[in-house]
Amino acid sequence: MLSSSTDPDYSELPDGIVLSISAKLETRNDTLRFRFVCKRFQSLVPPPPDRALPSEAIQIPYPIAPFTDPLAHYLLLESKIYAIQSLDKVSNPLCWIVKVQELGGGRARLKDPLSGSVYGGLAECFPEPLNLLNYEVTEITKAYDLLLVLSDELDMMDEVNLVLPFVVEKIVVSNDHDIMAMHSGGKLIIWRKGDSCWRELNININEVQFEDVIYYDNKFYAVDNHGRTISVDCKTLETSQFVNPLPRLSAGQFKYLVRTEDCFYLIVQFQIDVEDGDFWNEYFYPLQFVVFRRDEDTREWIEKMDGFEDRVFCLGNACSYSFLASEFPGTIGNSIYYNDSLFGQVGGDRPGSEAGIYDLTNHNARPISDFPGYSGLFWPPPNWLW
Amino acid sequence: MAIMYALKSSDNEIFEVEQKVIEQSETIKKMIEDGAATGEIPLQVSSKTLAKVLEWCKQRQHKTVENENDDNKGKRKKERDEDDDIKEWENKFSDELKADKDVLFDLLLASNYLDLPALLSFLCQLVADMVAGKMPEEIRRMFNIENDFTPEEEKAITAEHGWAFQP
């Protein structure tokens, strides 16, 4: 009946309406919480797709004979970087950024959000499992690793004698789980899902040495030590020059590709020549980051000096990412977050324990612990979690 | 001369409405087309809810008519102004419904029954916005829903959506 009554019970809404409401929920967590309201909602609303990539799902061949399958293969491991915020943002405004590898069945492994390192003994810092339904959980980006799985035969060999000829430096993965790997001093190889072996990338550049790779919108991108950046179509493997080389760039400077919603950036870490007395200056920092933006018309890297007021770059070996400080309170805009052993603290071994913040205006860097109110971004787990 | 129809609410109140306004309801449009709508059209909707439904339909109709009468010159600016007006009207409409969940509930059912897809979509978005970022317990309180999970079931769901960090 359609008559009004006092205190209508919304769990009695028709199926179609319940489904229309759930279809308009934007985040995975909102859908999960909505399903958890009552049994009827739970049975009506389909669960959102599982977030974690099943670790056994994708088996990838080892690239170099004689260690090819069945002696060795890889598994693809997926981690995600999340910003976790309290639902009560008035009392707990600051967010917590974590890198987590979800292992299925509610188990997870915590990693360093910049280096991707796994630290021991962190489980003790969590009196009980985190219930994700209690927070606002925003995925910032995904990151991947290859886990080498050796056959028993190889595993029994003395580890010292077992020198594997292939070292993965970084991998990037497409939405369809095609993989581009940078390996052995800056070479690229590609494995497309279903392929029986890896393929060398056909690039007509002599002695090219790549320094970073990223994935964006069905293309892989790789930058070499001169700043030359190529794009590679994930399916056809067609390559083209995406950005021209820049004369001031060379080997020996760390390079990071970062993609934001509307721009491609190359961030380069230069060493500064040290002069006498510099070391006595408390604020002297021997590195300088320069941010280049890709100019769409000329395909050149253009140095960008300002306009980063709200922009945060996070650089790491495993993956680099960017967001706006206003999106995630507790982060500082106009800056680069990165790890440096210079920032390491005694008794560290915790996510973010080597993290520092580089100011893009005054070109100075300080360990994250030097920023009161901002130092807990990666560690420790905030009190409002429980 | 506009054709008028008389709608009769479940509590016997009569609403005189232009055909163009009420034809937004697919249900009533079909009744009219089938010739079933002679005299008063009885609806299983209370007068309070029907008044809200018609308020919505008139606002939508108003916009469509004005756009038809526009010439192209200066249309852009006018459209922008109108969009602002509509936003303002919709906000007020939403605020009233948020404060009165009885009417919101009845309006959801009525928009479903009268087959008013735009209104139904608007209302579902409103409920979704109210639900977003809220814990299940808050949602239950807000919409008078009983928690029918046992503590054991709750625990299992929590574990499924948690992170137990591995050493």
Side-chain angles (χ1 to χ4, degrees):
Chain A
M1 278 305 295
L2 298 173
S3 60
S4 312
S5 61
T6 50
D7 289 348
D9 178 350
Y10 275 66
S11 71
E12 289 169 6
L13 283 171
D15 293 2
I17 296 183
V18 174
L19 287 169
S20 302
I21 294 169
S22 73
K24 290 187 187 295
L25 293 169
E26 280 175 21
T27 73
R28 185 175 192 277
N29 253 7
D30 278 330
T31 306
L32 289 173
R33 284 189 285 256
F34 188 67
R35 293 185 80 232
F36 194 16
V37 166
C38 62
K39 285 185 175 167
R40 176 145 183 277
F41 287 6
Q42 193 190 32
S43 62
L44 272 177
V45 179
D50 199 355
R51 203 171 23 209
L53 173 78
S55 62
E56 309 295 321
I58 302 178
Q59 198 167 322
I60 300 142
Y62 191 78
I64 295 172
F67 293 100
T68 44
D69 201 49
L71 288 180
H73 66 265
Y74 287 115
L75 292 179
L76 182 62
L77 303 184
E78 185 180 71
S79 303
K80 291 184 182 167
I81 292 162
Y82 292 106
I84 300 189
Q85 285 168 278
S86 168
L87 292 177
D88 176 7
K89 288 191 188 131
V90 178
S91 314
N92 310 304
L94 303 185
C95 78
W96 184 46
I97 291 184
V98 288
K99 181 170 181 177
V100 171
Q101 182 191 344
E102 288 161 314
L103 305 166
R107 294 171 314 126
R109 185 168 290 134
L110 202 57
K111 297 180 166 184
D112 187 291
L114 297 169
S115 70
S117 302
V118 179
Y119 301 102
L122 295 184
E124 295 155 18
C125 307
F126 297 85
E128 54 186 290
L130 301 186
N131 177 1
L132 294 193
L133 300 181
N134 292 346
Y135 325 116
E136 187 176 307
V137 180
T138 313
E139 180 185 320
I140 298 176
T141 191
K142 298 181 176 71
Y144 295 90
D145 295 297
L146 290 178
L147 176 72
L148 184 62
V149 182
L150 300 175
S151 69
D152 292 346
E153 198 180 328
L154 275 187
D155 215 12
M156 282 189 304
M157 283 177 69
D158 183 352
E159 273 187 35
V160 182
N161 292 325
L162 178 65
V163 181
L164 288 167
F166 183 81
V167 180
V168 178
E169 285 155 4
K170 179 175 175 180
I171 64 163
V172 278
V173 177
S174 75
N175 289 344
D176 293 336
H177 299 122
D178 308 309
I179 303 173
M180 182 162 85
M182 189 171 76
H183 71 100
S184 315
K187 299 190 181 70
L188 298 178
I189 53 173
I190 289 201
W191 178 83
R192 288 173 301 183
K193 202 174 172 189
D195 283 357
S196 60
C197 60
W198 293 76
R199 286 156 201 266
E200 294 277 338
L201 207 56
N202 203 1
I203 311 163
N204 296 321
I205 310 168
N206 288 334
E207 306 266 319
V208 67
Q209 211 177 2
F210 289 99
E211 295 204 17
D212 195 18
V213 286
I214 55 168
Y215 166 77
Y216 178 75
D217 196 16
N218 288 317
K219 284 203 167 81
F220 296 125
Y221 297 87
V223 60
D224 76 2
N225 46 28
H226 301 291
R228 176 194 291 115
T229 306
I230 59 160
S231 69
V232 184
D233 186 286
C234 298
K235 294 296 169 206
T236 64
L237 305 190
E238 213 166 275
T239 62
S240 63
Q241 185 147 311
F242 184 64
V243 195
N244 302 326
L246 193 65
R248 66 187 274 207
L249 301 182
S250 61
Q253 312 137 341
F254 288 114
K255 299 184 182 69
Y256 303 90
L257 287 172
V258 187
R259 166 80 208 189
T260 64
E261 301 73 39
D262 45 10
C263 269
F264 259 96
Y265 291 105
L266 174 68
I267 302 181
V268 184
Q269 195 187 51
F270 291 94
Q271 295 279 347
I272 298 174
D273 294 334
V274 181
E275 287 170 27
D276 283 350
D278 280 341
F279 276 122
W280 302 105
N281 178 352
E282 187 193 354
Y283 295 104
F284 175 72
Y285 188 68
L287 294 176
Q288 187 181 6
F289 283 99
V290 177
V291 181
F292 298 92
R293 184 182 58 81
R294 176 183 182 258
D295 184 279
E296 295 204 10
D297 300 324
T298 61
R299 299 189 171 207
E300 302 288 345
W301 289 120
I302 310 289
E303 184 171 345
K304 189 166 158 65
M305 317 283 264
D306 45 28
F308 293 120
E309 285 69 23
D310 199 26
R311 176 64 59 192
V312 178
F313 294 104
C314 293
L315 306 183
N317 300 334
C319 85
S320 301
Y321 45 96
S322 175
F323 49 80
L324 297 176
S326 52
E327 290 177 89
F328 301 124
T331 60
I332 302 176
N334 189 36
S335 63
I336 295 175
Y337 285 63
Y338 69 109
N339 272 3
D340 190 322
S341 53
L342 279 177
F343 302 136
Q345 299 151 26
V346 181
D349 289 357
R350 293 286 179 265
S353 56
E354 289 195 344
I357 302 175
Y358 183 92
D359 184 317
L360 280 166
T361 300
N362 67 24
H363 295 279
N364 248 304
R366 316 283 295 164
I368 195 169
S369 53
D370 279 12
F371 294 82
Y374 298 92
S375 58
L377 181 64
F378 303 125
W379 198 262
N383 292 330
W384 48 257
L385 289 172
W386 294 284
Chain B
M1 191 54 198
I3 305 171
M4 303 295 282
Y5 280 87
L7 307 180
K8 193 166 111 181
S9 69
S10 57
D11 48 348
N12 296 323
E13 205 171 306
I14 304 291
F15 292 80
E16 294 275 343
V17 195
E18 263 184 61
Q19 178 173 356
K20 274 199 166 160
V21 170
I22 199 56
E23 263 187 355
Q24 291 175 57
S25 156
E26 291 294 328
T27 308
I28 294 178
K29 194 176 168 192
K30 242 178 239 145
M31 288 166 98
I32 294 172
E33 281 167 3
D34 295 348
T38 51
E40 289 163 359
I41 304 178
L43 297 173
Q44 290 176 293
V45 179
S46 72
S47 53
K48 193 176 173 192
T49 309
L50 191 53
K52 275 275 174 227
V53 169
L54 295 176
E55 199 183 316
W56 166 271
C57 289
K58 280 176 191 157
Q59 167 68 21
R60 302 271 304 180
Q61 177 64 17
H62 186 62
K63 194 205 167 193
T64 327
V65 171
E66 276 197 354
N67 278 358
E68 276 170 10
N69 294 344
D70 273 339
D71 51 5
N72 281 333
K73 204 178 156 198
K75 191 170 172 181
R76 284 260 171 83
K77 189 195 177 310
K78 197 165 179 203
E79 259 179 20
R80 258 203 316 275
D81 289 349
E82 269 171 24
D83 285 348
D84 287 347
D85 288 350
I86 289 170
K87 266 256 105 43
E88 199 179 304
W89 183 89
E90 284 183 348
N91 286 343
K92 195 173 150 273
F93 193 71
S94 301
D95 287 345
E96 285 168 16
L97 292 175
K98 273 189 215 166
D100 190 342
K101 289 186 202 84
D102 294 358
V103 175
L104 174 57
F105 185 82
D106 286 344
L107 208 48
L108 277 161
L109 295 182
S111 62
N112 196 38
Y113 159 68
L114 294 172
D115 199 356
L116 285 158
L119 177 57
L120 183 58
S121 168
F122 177 83
L123 296 171
C124 288
Q125 185 65 58
L126 179 66
V127 176
D129 292 346
M130 291 164 81
V131 160
K134 300 275 191 329
M135 292 301 292
E137 193 44 49
E138 289 174 89
I139 300 172
R140 289 179 200 125
R141 250 200 324 268
M142 190 161 40
F143 293 112
N144 190 34
I145 297 172
E146 198 192 328
N147 180 8
D148 53 1
F149 291 102
T150 65
E152 289 74 31
E153 286 168 331
E154 283 200 349
K155 222 173 155 185
I157 294 171
T158 306
E160 198 185 324
H161 301 297
W163 284 336
F165 289 114
Q166 303 301 296

